[in-house]
Amino acid sequence: MNLQRARYLVALADEKSFTRAAVEMHVAQSALSQQIKVLEREVGVTLIDRRGPRISLTAAGEVAVREARFLLASADRAVQRIRQAAAGLEGELRVAHTRSWAGGVIADLINEYRRTFPEIEVSVYRGWTTRNADLAAEGSIDVAVIRPPIDSLSLIVRILESEQLLIAVPESHPFAGHRTIDRDALIDQPVVFWPRENGPGMYDRIVEQLWPKASPTVVRNEADDEQVLYAVAAGVGIAPIPRGRALTFRVPGVHLCEVAGPPMTLDVGIAYRPDNPNPALQCFLALIGNQPSGRVAGPT
């Protein structure tokens, strides 16, 4: 895909209008339209649905825009790395942590990476699994820390560790008198959760393990685990919580219970594009290759 045509396609996808996209790109509307038609002929499929009052992307167009964003981000990164090399620097690794996990093996890997490759700058961001995966797919970051499974054909997922899933209950709740509770006792209990779109795979994994026979009775959604725990402390309901987050926050008024039976766990891993050319990423993957616990989940 030609870089300039990729820029035209992304502008068109963002603006949803040939007129506004042409203004954004500082070209005549006819020239932009012609370049999009050339791109469609090159790939052999229709990318833009022009039938309605507003243009929209076809299914192939959605994929083309994602790939165009990755191509443009890679080109920008290449220019940046060339300039860094000219300045005597050696590159950058961009990592996006998930809000539900920032420690364990992954934190140890980042620390070891910094010690092993001190000349490489490590830039760290924090977001949700879904957003992190999107950023990795479009090339804005190199490594997305995620809660698998994720739905992405362009990313490789490597599972690095697992942690126990606990139940947080108010100290005034009858469950607070128990160290373990039976899974069937969770049915019909009011539940505090977080929005499923933040991490659909993790959300569904929790529900499959704790409420296999019926959906949880969610009475409130909170933005993140910390706010979930404060809602539990206020007596709003019970909540599933990863052990690491529960022990990190230690919110007063919250009692933690295990679920009886086989341990219930949540995986933590990283996702990356296998065609990402950044040498800093290859160094990071080589470091992970020395970890005996790593498992490759592959594109999902």
Side-chain angles (χ1 to χ4, degrees), residues 159-213:
I159 299 169
L160 298 181
E161 59 186 314
S162 298
E163 66 173 327
Q164 189 177 14
L165 179 61
L166 302 177
I167 301 295
V169 304
E171 284 189 344
S172 59
H173 195 285
F175 290 169
H178 303 276
R179 181 175 177 273
T180 63
I181 52 178
D182 188 79
R183 185 171 62 180
D184 289 341
L186 303 179
I187 298 174
D188 296 329
Q189 286 288 326
V191 175
V192 183
F193 227 132
W194 37 264
R196 182 179 179 274
E197 58 265 25
N198 290 354
M202 178 183 180
Y203 189 104
D204 293 345
R205 178 65 177 149
I206 291 173
V207 171
E208 289 167 3
Q209 293 187 87
L210 297 179
W211 291 278
K213 299 177 182 177

Side-chain angles (χ1 to χ4, degrees), residues 228-252:
V228 165
L229 289 173
Y230 278 115
V232 170
V236 175
I238 67 172
I241 192 82
R243 174 181 284 275
R245 298 300 276 172
L247 298 182
T248 296
F249 294 126
R250 296 186 181 275
V251 174

Side-chain angles (χ1 to χ4, degrees), residues 15-261:
E15 298 295 338
K16 301 292 192 298
S17 162
F18 278 98
T19 301
R20 291 195 298 272
V23 171
E24 176 68 21
M25 297 303 297
H26 305 289
V27 297
Q29 180 178 334
S30 59
L32 185 141
S33 179
Q34 180 62 30
Q35 288 301 306
I36 295 298
K37 290 179 180 178
V38 170
L39 177 58
E40 289 178 319
R41 287 198 298 270
E42 285 180 346
V43 298
V45 295
T46 300
L47 304 177
I48 307 299
D49 187 342
R50 301 168 174 83
R51 292 173 297 179
R54 289 170 56 88
I55 68 162
S56 61
L57 297 170
T58 64
E62 295 281 358
V63 175
V65 169
R66 287 199 298 271
E67 293 301 315
R69 292 188 194 279
F70 178 73
L71 178 63
L72 294 174
S74 296
D76 290 342
R77 291 285 299 278
V79 171
Q80 182 184 36
R81 287 195 294 270
I82 291 168
R83 289 172 176 167
Q84 288 173 333
L89 304 175
E90 296 298 332
E92 178 185 19
L93 180 76
R94 298 181 181 184
V95 180
H97 283 294
T98 176
R99 292 181 182 271
S100 71
W101 185 259
V105 167
I106 293 171
D108 293 342
L109 280 168
I110 296 294
N111 290 334
E112 184 178 353
Y113 186 85
R114 284 186 164 120
R115 290 192 298 268
T116 306
F117 305 101
E119 71 281 5
I120 297 178
E121 179 183 357
V122 179
S123 299
V124 178
Y125 309 85
R126 189 172 301 280
W128 306 112
T129 284
T130 300
R131 179 58 177 157
N132 290 354
D134 287 344
L135 290 173
E138 70 184 36
S140 298
I141 62 169
D142 301 301
V143 179
V145 180
I146 51 92
R147 292 285 192 169
I150 61 172
D151 183 17
S152 177
L153 295 176
S154 62
L155 298 178
I156 293 290
V157 174
R158 299 187 70 162
I159 299 169
L160 298 181
E161 59 186 314
S162 298
E163 66 173 327
Q164 189 177 14
L165 179 61
L166 302 177
I167 301 295
V169 304
E171 284 189 344
S172 59
H173 195 285
F175 290 169
H178 303 276
R179 181 175 177 273
T180 63
I181 52 178
D182 188 79
R183 185 171 62 180
D184 289 341
L186 303 179
I187 298 174
D188 296 329
Q189 286 288 326
V191 175
V192 183
F193 227 132
W194 37 264
R196 182 179 179 274
E197 58 265 25
N198 290 354
M202 178 183 180
Y203 189 104
D204 293 345
R205 178 65 177 149
I206 291 173
V207 171
E208 289 167 3
Q209 293 187 87
L210 297 179
W211 291 278
K213 299 177 182 177
S215 299
T217 306
V218 178
V219 295
R220 182 184 296 181
N221 279 314
E222 292 287 353
D224 54 33
D225 290 326
E226 185 174 15
Q227 295 306 313
V228 165
L229 289 173
Y230 278 115
V232 170
V236 175
I238 67 172
I241 192 82
R243 174 181 284 275
R245 298 300 276 172
L247 298 182
T248 296
F249 294 126
R250 296 186 181 275
V251 174
V254 173
H255 177 76
L256 299 175
C257 299
E258 297 181 1
V259 180

